Amino acid sequence: MIAFIGRRLLVAIPVVLVATIVLFALVSARGDPLRDFRHRPGVSQQTLRNLEDEYHLNESPPVQYLGWLGDFVQGDWGTSFRTQEPVTGMVGEAAWNSFLLVGTTLLFSVAVAMLVGVLSAVRQYSTFDHVATGFSYFGFSMPDFFFALLLQLVFVVVLREQLGIQLFYVQGKYTVGHEGELGNLLQHMVLPVATLMLTSVAAWSRYQRDSMLEVLHTDYVRTARAKGVPRGRIIRRHALRNALIPFVTVVAIDAGVLLGGVVVVERVFSWPGLGLLFFDALERSDYPVLLAWMAVATVFVVLCNLVADVLYGVLDPRIRVGGGAGS
Amino acid sequence: MHARPKHMSSRLFAALAAGTLVTVALSAGATAAPAKPKAKSKSITIAVDQFPPVLNDMTSQGNGEWTAMIAGPALARGYKLLPDFSYQPWIFDKDCTVSSPSPFTVDCTIRPDAKWSDGVPITSADFKFTYDTIMDKKNDVVSRNGYDKITAFDTPSPAEFQMVFNSVFAPYRELWAGSSTTVLPEHVLAGQNFNTVWNKCICDPKTKQPISSGPMMVKSFTPDQQVTLVPNPNYWEKKATVPKVVFIPVRDSNAEVNALRVGEVDMIYPQNQIGLRQRIESIDGAKYTSSLGPQWEHFDMLSTVPGLDDLQVRKALATAMPRQQIVNRVVKDANDNAEVLNNTQYMVNQQPYVPNWSMYPATGDVDAANAILDAAGWTRGSDGVRQKGNVKLAFTVGTTSGNQARILSEQIMKAQFQKLGVALAIKNAPDILDTNMTGFDFQTLIFAWVSAPDPYGGNAIWLSSAIPQQCSPKQAKKFACDQSGQNYTKVRDPKVDELLNASDTQTDPVARAALFNQADLQLATNDVTVIPLFQKPTQLGYRSSISGVQDNPTQDGFTWNIEDWNLTP
């Protein structure tokens, strides 16, 4: 297994490098990173030269990239042009906040999608299956930002105005005066998580349904039934495990995609995570933060793919063996 | 045979469903406690759509509308800018006076009771220190305009100072009024690095205790998350009664309204939007107010573009421009008093305002405009677009992508100009003002300038000497263009230059306003490169439990009278 993970890691490294080259080129294409500094009346030529040296801006683009990559790998992510704070701390804090959303979304989405998918497959063409299918279409077609505002309206505004209670919140991580309270944090997380869950559950439940149906129609399941193995046991021990293989893969890959959803959802809910950090950095041309953000996002997506590969190997040992034989 | 397995599967899924529900219920249990209104009632929470990265409004890094409104109540200035655009002495005990016309000398005196929150009096040494800080090349201050004309800064006593200028400088009040003109405490900041010392606090860097000369103090600041103001107990004027004012970021304007509606925030001050007023006014227990501020929207024509280089074409477009319709559709909804702006130097609600541009009918006169073009020899081609020789009256119009109000203005103009035989193609871009405008890679544009009570700051839009050096679109993309002037329509009018230069040295307010108005009339009759459309309204929504709120459309913003705010249960 370790050799398998090692092989996958070796494959992941060039993927990360290529992705960072592309992203570095995109960020560089935005123009002179020091343009704001150059227009500030009090910034001396020496300061500009120092910044040019720090970010290797006097070098050719390939050398700039290598310089940035070297600094990044050593943990020197620079200082934000916008806030003058170390980028590592800013990205770290934002990443933790985004992780709270993405992690919780993953947990609940997997549980709900599995449940809905399996039930839909086992009761194919039942009312439940039709409703679940309808929900999936709804989830696919509903834009994140619109659904987020809809949730705010229904679960915050209407609840508050009609029933006089406030279960959830429309913005922020904590209510002013309640910083650090777990309950308050959870109240603030519910709607962003529900928004992120919509597309995930819609997609994953369809995968799980199809995968489960495929397995339920295989010969070995039919044989098991013929031998009188109880249906519940067939579903749990024979069908579900095999049906989980494509499901887990899709979930692991999609976890990286969730980061894209976070960018929109965090803005609507003013959640202080990577999404908001990205917007702020983009609007103020905060070059060090943009580059670090892109790199972290790349590593995260590649890691998700790596996890997908590893889980695939865990669930289906043939893949590990096949990979080993082939190497 | 199938009955048992079916039961089994039902149990399995019942168990799974129960597990999921329990998990959800557990989190819901944690969420079931309603917010504690007690904590909220003692403070005011304000939503900020553009949260400042640092607190020092005087540095180019911190300077911004919200920084001024957040840090402003903690830092008094020589003058307070009132909502009617007039100057009210704040730290000064009376209006500064011109004591000598040559060399031009201005004397200012300081209120004897003015003091910092630590009890140290505010003296002329603080003003001198501020001036020195601004002029120190090491410091990243947002502007040295006007200060750089001072040749001597004398402090004959702690209560008075004298500024001697190298030439007559009529708008001297601007040096100590509005944002980024804060008076700095010498006893606290001497020897400190001004570029960073007040990034994270407005405090004494040695003790970390908040320092203030205004009604409030900055108690805490967490970048991108929260700023908390509390009353300054040693304020030397009317003391604030609201125990705490908290600013939090709410980036999405729809979420801002929802947050106000459910009481998560008590005040919102979003960018101007169509339909916002109605949404705020529909909230129970919320009030809406709007002011006409110094930001003014306009339609710009690059006067060197073939076709637009003909004054008659520009006049025809001004004549046909349906400015009233634009006002009705874009801003009337936000502010009942919104009207067509007929001056490029003064706003409608300023005393010297004269409607110089009313020669162009606000409703837009297509027949008159057609007559102008006919007389100028522009004839309609087979496609309906007018042309003369090889030049067609087909132009692009651009604005910042995503700005719905401006896109609506573009569509109204396009439909109207089509009746003239002038084709307008909408070509927007997110960075159009950063790159296309500065690179002169545009034909017509819609955007807004920010004015000030004194129009001298706008001279850079009109003076021939303020045309930025020719800059290629490629250079503009690299932000390598000269940004020192803002005359992007390339208007060159010696008479306008003469009038505006004369205004710089005219200290009599009435005569000065007359010079600006003459320049404006000249721009309207002889140049017509920038057609004024309307003043942008501010939009403030707040809980009716807060009394004493009065919007201020100047740079001082709606927190200008925070000491007058009261919370009623």
Side-chain angles (χ1 to χ4, degrees), chain A residues 29-32 35-36 38-44 80-85 90 93 97 107-108 111-112 114-115 118-119 122-123 149 152-153 156-158 160-161 164-172 175-179 181-184 186-188 190 212 225-233 235-236 240 266-270 272 276-277 279-280 283-284, chain B residues 1-2 4-6 8-10 12-18 20 23-24 26-28 30-36 39-40 43 45 49-54 60-63 136-144 195-196 199-200 222-226 244 246 248-252 254-256 258-265 282-284 477-481 483:
Chain A
R30 286 179 51 80
D32 179 8
R35 61 181 177 268
D36 285 347
R38 294 190 206 283
H39 294 151
R40 288 183 193 170
V43 176
S44 67
S80 163
F81 288 171
R82 193 172 62 88
T83 65
Q84 299 298 313
E85 300 265 303
M90 289 171 69
E93 190 180 343
N97 288 334
L107 200 70
F108 282 100
V112 175
M114 260 179 66
L115 189 69
V118 171
L119 270 175
V122 172
R123 297 179 179 177
L149 292 171
Q152 288 185 359
L153 194 67
V156 186
V157 176
V158 174
R160 172 84 176 205
E161 290 183 349
I165 55 172
Q166 180 143 18
L167 295 179
F168 313 122
Y169 291 91
V170 299
Q171 57 75 37
T175 307
V176 173
H178 295 266
E179 290 82 358
E181 292 177 14
L182 179 63
N184 193 262
L186 291 173
Q187 283 180 287
H188 280 81
V190 170
M212 194 72 186
R225 277 189 190 148
K227 287 169 72 178
V229 179
R231 196 175 181 215
R233 194 169 171 189
I235 290 168
R236 282 196 314 272
L240 188 58
E266 285 183 357
R267 188 170 172 90
V268 176
F269 289 99
S270 297
L276 268 193
L277 189 69
F279 269 111
D280 287 337
E283 281 172 2
R284 301 289 289 259
Chain B
M1 186 177 168
H2 288 293
R4 197 166 171 244
K6 193 173 179 183
M8 281 297 287
S9 69
S10 298
L12 166 70
F13 293 117
L16 275 170
T20 307
T23 320
V24 173
L26 278 173
S27 57
T31 67
K36 294 172 190 169
K40 278 198 65 62
S43 65
T45 305
D49 55 4
Q50 289 176 348
F51 211 76
V54 298
S60 57
Q61 194 189 3
N63 183 251
D136 189 338
K137 295 274 185 224
K138 287 202 305 287
N139 296 330
D140 170 25
V141 294
V142 69
S143 172
R144 295 190 175 93
N195 294 329
T196 56
N199 276 0
K200 304 290 173 246
T222 311
D224 293 337
Q225 290 183 34
Q226 196 168 306
K244 193 161 75 168
V246 182
I248 59 168
V250 182
R251 314 302 174 101
D252 185 89
N254 291 305
E256 274 191 282
N258 285 341
L260 178 70
R261 203 164 162 181
V262 299
E264 284 184 44
V265 300
S282 70
I283 298 171
D284 245 5
K477 284 271 180 206
K478 289 184 174 176
F479 299 91
C481 299
Q483 306 265 349

Side-chain angles (χ1 to χ4, degrees), chain A residues 200-262:
Chain A
S200 310
V201 171
W204 297 348
S205 63
R206 302 313 294 165
Y207 277 113
Q208 181 63 8
R209 178 185 181 276
D210 291 350
S211 171
M212 194 72 186
L213 277 175
E214 199 178 318
V215 176
L216 286 174
H217 289 103
T218 53
D219 290 343
Y220 71 87
V221 170
R222 201 172 297 121
T223 307
R225 277 189 190 148
K227 287 169 72 178
V229 179
R231 196 175 181 215
R233 194 169 171 189
I234 290 172
I235 290 168
R236 282 196 314 272
R237 300 198 50 182
H238 301 284
L240 188 58
R241 176 159 178 156
N242 283 313
L244 274 178
I245 296 172
F247 177 77
V248 166
T249 312
V250 165
V251 167
I253 292 170
D254 277 3
V257 179
L258 269 178
L259 203 61
V262 155

Side-chain angles (χ1 to χ4, degrees), chain A residues 100-118:
Chain A
L100 283 177
L101 289 189
V102 173
T104 312
T105 300
L106 272 177
L107 200 70
F108 282 100
S109 295
V110 165
V112 175
M114 260 179 66
L115 189 69
V116 172
V118 171

